């Protein structure tokens, strides 16, 4: 059975329909990249999985259990962790305090203060500094680390490279690849096609709220992906779904 299933999801902001009839499934251990231009509906979809946006219609199930109407904090307890766009750290708290705040009680999972600091070595010398004094890349590392501290079964990452210099993105992705190789199940919203294709098992492209292309990352043709991304042409058949 899939870990996550999204079925015919519709999300709205008033009259604006941001997500239109989206369906997909994610298996345990899979890295699933969501790509698409600005306004395609990626963040809204991710927030609906996390319980931060109430869908207008459709279903979200985790391990076959319908969680569509569960509030966000209950989904965290079930193992869904969102790293939001913009990181949303507590600026006056230190790195360690930001991490500790998220630690799941009685958690016996892989992630704790020690293992998070090991996977993000750039945070080691910063651990007692307020989050507001960190660079963008360091803050992003704290945001991902904070999500890991909940020992999630499903990690949702929204544009981890946004606003970061390429060299910093490389450092964040190096840590991320270690996390993925350990078998984490991840939905990754990423504007950078090259990175998305490189790190993920499966790629889904959204355009104006709909899925316009879906397939195994290694078998997708880059031109086809670029076409779907910009809405230049619809793929003829096979992996396309409208
Ligand atoms: P981006 O990469 O720019 O974040 P996205 O693919 O994540 O884009 P969303 O942020 O989900 O897309 O936005 C989808 C649509 O919903 C867009 O038309 C956007 O303007 C609209 N939208 C998003 N958030 C809100 C909101 N809080 N209120 C009203 N409309 C919104």
């Amino acid at each position: 059975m899939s870990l996550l299933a999204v079925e015919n999801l519709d999300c709205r902001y008033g009259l604006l329909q941001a997500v239109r009839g989206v369906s997909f499934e994610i298996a345990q251990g899979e890295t699933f990249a969501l790509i698409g231009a600005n306004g395609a509906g990626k963040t809204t979809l991710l927030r609906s999985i996390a319980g931060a946006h109430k869908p207008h219609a459709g279903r979200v199930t985790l391990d076959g259990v319908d969680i569509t109407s569960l509030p966000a904090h209950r989904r965290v307890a079930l193992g869904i962790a969102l790293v939001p766009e913009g990181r949303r750290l507590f600026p006056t708290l230190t790195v360690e305090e930001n991490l500790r705040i998220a630690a799941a009680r009685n958690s016996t999972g892989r992630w704790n203060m020690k293992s998070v600091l090991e996977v993000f070595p750039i945070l080691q010398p910063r651990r007692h500094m307020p989050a507001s004094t960190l660079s963008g890349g360091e803050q992003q590392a704290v945001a991902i680390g904070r999500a890991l501290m909940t020992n999630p079964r499903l990690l949702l990452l929204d544009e981890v490279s946004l606003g970061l210099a390429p060299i910093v993105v490389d450092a964040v992705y190096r840590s991320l690849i270690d996390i993925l190789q350990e078998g984490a199940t991840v939905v990754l919203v990423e504007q950078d096609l090259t990175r998305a294709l490189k790190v993920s098992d499966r790629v889904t492209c959204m355009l104006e709220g709909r899925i316009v292309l879906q397939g195994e990352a290694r078998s997708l043709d880059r031109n086809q992906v670029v076409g779907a991304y910009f809405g230049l042409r619809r793929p003829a058949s096979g992996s396309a779904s409208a």
Side-chain angles (χ1 to χ4, degrees), residues 29-138:
E30 198 172 20
T31 305
F32 184 88
L34 264 180
I35 60 171
N38 287 344
K42 308 176 299 292
T43 294
T44 305
L45 177 55
L46 216 59
R47 285 169 49 79
S48 301
I49 298 169
H53 182 93
K54 191 170 180 291
H56 178 75
R59 254 172 36 121
V60 180
T61 60
L62 187 75
D63 256 345
V65 176
D66 191 337
I67 59 166
T68 319
S69 43
L70 279 192
H73 69 275
R74 299 266 312 272
R75 300 192 199 197
V76 174
L78 288 177
I80 297 181
L82 171 68
V83 178
E85 200 176 320
R87 299 150 206 152
R88 311 245 177 107
L89 301 178
F90 295 102
T92 58
L93 299 188
T94 67
V95 167
E96 274 200 6
E97 287 165 342
N98 267 281
L99 294 176
R100 200 172 297 123
I101 240 167
R105 272 191 209 148
N106 306 322
S107 175
T108 52
R110 154 81 175 90
W111 298 106
N112 52 40
M113 185 68 70
K114 183 168 176 287
S115 54
V116 165
L117 291 174
E118 275 168 9
V119 84
F120 289 109
I122 53 170
L123 296 181
Q124 282 283 1
R126 304 273 186 266
R127 50 199 294 183
H128 301 301
M129 294 174 66
S132 60
T133 65
L134 304 185
S135 69
E138 289 162 351

Side-chain angles (χ1 to χ4, degrees), residues 6 8-13 16-24 34-46 48 57 204-214 228-229 231 234 241-242:
V6 170
N8 293 318
L9 208 69
D10 280 349
C11 301
R12 296 186 179 176
Y13 297 100
L16 188 140
Q17 196 165 351
V19 173
R20 299 161 184 259
V22 165
S23 299
F24 58 85
L34 264 180
I35 60 171
N38 287 344
K42 308 176 299 292
T43 294
T44 305
L45 177 55
L46 216 59
S48 301
T204 284
C205 182
M206 290 181 72
L207 180 70
E208 295 169 359
R210 290 194 173 85
I211 292 179
V212 289
L213 180 72
Q214 217 177 140
Y229 189 102
R234 292 281 165 101
S241 60

